[in-house]
């Protein structure tokens, strides 16, 4: 009797353990068999708040025999997207991950490409989520819109965002990037690139390399520890704006931006500027021949420490407009005189710089 009872008890324990593991770590061939997931009419919704399973692994083979237009994953402790998990879903329009405590991505996690001219591309929307690491080549292909909102990213590797085929938008809003590697954003085209209400410890050399932006680059209310030399190499935006931001240190020639329109830098605070910090803004040659000089606006910015010629602006393609340059230092007549002759220069040639007359009328302290 005791032996039989013990045997039954062991069976119950084994079945309970197996059932629990099957829920939490499913080996199901179909994504629709996962505990938190429901499939209906081309929609896949996985909500871990209504299931004992709090972790989901998305693999390419789990989507066999299904046609999804939308995938939504919410309220999970851990979501793991494996390499090319979504690549065989030609009808997919959007993927969203919301309220994910840990989102693990493999290389090419969001590789997705279509040859269908009627398909506008994939929307990837990640909200209120923690991402420990964005590996190389995570975002590639026919991505219409990549949107991060309220996301914490610990590490971004080289080529994490690369070879994206003419996206409409890439938006980072309320994102914290703890560590960016050089060439994290490499060789892709996009209409709008927007970074807003976001913090970055360091933007290293060649962070954004060979990026074609056809409409606007906007950095708004961005907090940055340091922008290194040649951090931005961007082509063809019709507007490039840095507004309401706080940057502790900008190295020389931090920006290599060839525009087809105006540049506006206003309402910012710069802790330290090296010489020629902004000299790398230029107007694309053919556009200049057709449209003439563009405006470069530098207004209502506060500077704390700066080197001689830190505000040197390229006048070969721009008409600089300067006003309300606020110096966050103790003010005196000699210091104002020095700043007026040593801070701001215009240059149409990398070798020669020209002092700006009456610049003292727009410098305040």
């Amino acid at each position: 009797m005791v032996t039989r009872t013990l045997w039954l008890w062991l069976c119950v324990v084994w079945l309970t353990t197996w059932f629990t593991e099957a829920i939490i770590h499913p080996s199901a061939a179909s994504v629709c068999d996962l505990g938190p997931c429901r499939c209906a009419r081309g929609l896949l919704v996985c909500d871990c708040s209504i299931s004992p399973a709090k972790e989901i692994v998305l693999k390419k083979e789990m989507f066999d025999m299904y046609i999804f237009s939308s995938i939504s994953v919410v309220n999970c402790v851990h979501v793991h997207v494996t390499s090319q998990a979504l690549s065989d879903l030609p009808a997919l329009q959007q993927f969203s991950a919301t309220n994910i405590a840990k989102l693990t991505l493999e290389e090419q996690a969001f590789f997705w490409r279509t040859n269908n001219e009627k398909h506008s591309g994939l929307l990837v929307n990640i909200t209120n989520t923690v991402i420990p690491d964005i590996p190389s080549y995570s975002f590639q292909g026919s991505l219409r819109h990549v949107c991060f909102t309220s996301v914490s990213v610990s590490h971004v590797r080289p080529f994490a965002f690369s070879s994206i085929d003419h996206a409409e938008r890439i938006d980072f809003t309320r994102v914290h990037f703890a560590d960016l590697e050089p060439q994290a954003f490499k060789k892709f085209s996009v209409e709008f690139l927007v970074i807003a209400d976001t913090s970055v410890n360091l933007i290293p050399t060649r962070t954004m390399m060979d990026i074609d932006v056809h409409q606007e680059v906007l950095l708004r209310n961005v907090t940055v520890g340091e922008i290194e030399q040649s951090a931005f190499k961007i082509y063809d935006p019709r507007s490039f704006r840095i507004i309401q931001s706080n940057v502790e240190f900008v190295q020389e020639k931090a920006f290599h931006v060839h525009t087809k329109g105006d540049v506006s830098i206003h309402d910012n605070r710069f802790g330290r500027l090296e010489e020629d910090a902004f000299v790398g803004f230029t107007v694309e040659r053919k556009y200049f021949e057709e449209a003439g000089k563009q405006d470069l606006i530098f207004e209502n910015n506060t500077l704390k420490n700066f080197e001689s010629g830190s505000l040197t602006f390229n006048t070969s393609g721009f008409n600089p407009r300067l006003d309300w340059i606020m110096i966050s230092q103790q003010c005196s007549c000699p210091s104002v005189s020095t700043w007026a002759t040593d801070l701001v220069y215009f240059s149409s040639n990398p070798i020669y710089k020209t002092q700006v007359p009456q610049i003292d009328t727009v410098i305040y302290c």
Side-chain angles (χ1 to χ4, degrees):
M1 183 69 178
V2 173
T3 302
R4 182 179 179 185
T5 302
L6 179 61
W7 181 82
L8 289 172
W9 180 80
L10 289 173
C11 287
V12 169
V13 170
W14 181 84
L15 286 170
T16 302
T17 303
W18 178 87
F19 183 70
T20 302
E21 286 294 314
I23 292 176
I24 297 177
H25 302 290
S27 58
S30 166
V31 69
C32 298
D33 294 333
L34 297 180
C37 299
R38 300 292 181 270
C39 302
R41 298 180 181 179
L43 306 180
L44 169 63
V45 178
C46 300
D47 186 350
C48 293
S49 67
I50 61 173
S51 169
K54 303 302 179 185
E55 301 185 12
I56 293 176
V57 179
L58 298 178
K59 299 179 180 180
K60 185 176 183 178
E61 56 268 24
M62 299 170 71
F63 295 99
D64 288 347
M65 307 300 294
Y66 288 99
I67 298 176
F68 290 117
S69 61
S70 174
I71 297 174
S72 177
V73 183
V74 298
N75 303 320
C76 296
V77 172
H78 183 207
V79 174
H80 183 168
V81 184
T82 62
S83 180
Q84 298 194 21
L86 311 176
S87 61
D88 284 348
L89 296 172
L92 190 62
Q93 296 283 340
Q94 70 164 4
F95 175 95
S96 65
T98 305
N99 298 334
I100 309 300
K102 179 182 178 182
L103 176 61
T104 298
L105 305 179
E106 293 185 8
E107 287 192 5
Q108 295 191 311
F110 292 109
F111 171 84
W112 187 90
R113 180 164 276 123
T114 180
N115 294 319
N116 185 350
E117 295 181 356
K118 295 182 179 180
H119 197 305
S120 59
L122 178 64
L123 163 64
V124 178
N125 194 346
I126 300 175
T127 304
N128 195 28
T129 291
V130 174
I131 306 177
D133 183 68
I134 302 182
S136 301
Y137 315 110
S138 290
F139 292 83
Q140 280 190 317
S142 307
L143 305 182
R144 177 177 85 255
H145 188 179
V146 177
C147 182
F148 283 30
T149 306
S150 299
V151 175
S152 177
V153 182
S154 297
H155 192 81
V156 184
R157 298 188 183 275
F159 309 102
F161 299 81
S162 63
S163 301
I164 298 172
D165 304 332
H166 198 82
E168 290 180 9
R169 300 185 65 93
I170 295 179
D171 289 277
F172 299 107
T173 305
R174 297 188 300 279
V175 176
H176 174 65
F177 291 103
D179 184 26
L180 291 171
E181 289 197 42
Q183 302 190 86
F185 302 84
K186 173 74 172 181
K187 210 171 183 62
F188 61 82
S189 63
V190 62
E191 293 291 315
F192 294 88
L193 174 60
V194 178
I195 305 173
D197 307 317
T198 288
S199 62
V200 186
N201 295 336
L202 170 68
I203 303 179
T205 298
R206 297 176 292 120
T207 293
M208 293 194 174
M209 281 294 293
D210 299 328
I211 298 175
D212 294 324
V213 180
H214 301 293
Q215 295 298 330
E216 181 178 41
V217 178
L218 172 62
L219 282 68
R220 184 186 69 242
N221 192 28
V222 175
T223 301
V224 183
E226 181 176 352
I227 303 177
E228 290 188 344
Q229 184 177 9
S230 302
F232 294 86
K233 190 174 182 181
I234 296 176
Y235 297 96
D236 297 343
R238 296 189 178 276
S239 172
F240 190 106
R241 293 190 291 159
I242 305 173
I243 61 175
Q244 300 169 352
S245 294
N246 188 337
V247 184
E248 284 302 318
F249 181 27
V250 183
Q251 290 188 9
E252 64 173 333
K253 299 178 181 177
F255 302 89
H256 288 262
V257 179
H258 304 274
T259 77
K260 290 184 176 179
D262 297 339
V263 172
S264 182
I265 303 170
H266 64 85
D267 298 299
N268 303 290
R269 179 193 173 277
F270 298 103
R272 178 186 167 197
L273 297 177
E274 285 192 343
E275 182 181 4
D276 294 339
F278 302 106
V279 78
F281 286 101
T282 60
V283 178
E284 196 272 333
R285 183 177 59 83
K286 290 185 178 180
Y287 185 81
F288 170 73
E289 292 173 354
E290 296 172 359
K293 287 191 174 184
Q294 304 299 299
D295 286 334
L296 191 155
I297 302 168
F298 191 90
E299 294 182 351
N300 199 29
N301 295 294
T302 299
L303 318 180
K304 184 172 178 60
N305 297 297
F306 44 85
E307 295 182 358
S308 172
S310 58
L311 298 185
T312 299
F313 300 106
N314 189 319
T315 55
S316 62
F318 288 111
N319 289 314
R321 289 169 40 192
L322 313 178
D323 202 359
W324 287 98
I325 300 173
M326 309 294 296
I327 308 299
S328 182
Q329 295 183 19
Q330 187 173 358
C331 206
S332 67
C333 291
S335 60
V336 172
S337 177
T338 300
W339 299 333
T341 59
D342 201 41
L343 173 60
V344 182
Y345 289 90
F346 290 168
S347 175
S348 59
N349 184 305
I351 300 175
Y352 301 105
K353 295 182 180 181
T354 304
Q355 289 184 343
V356 181
Q358 298 182 323
I359 194 64
D360 57 318
T361 62
V362 299
I363 295 178
Y364 301 87
C365 57

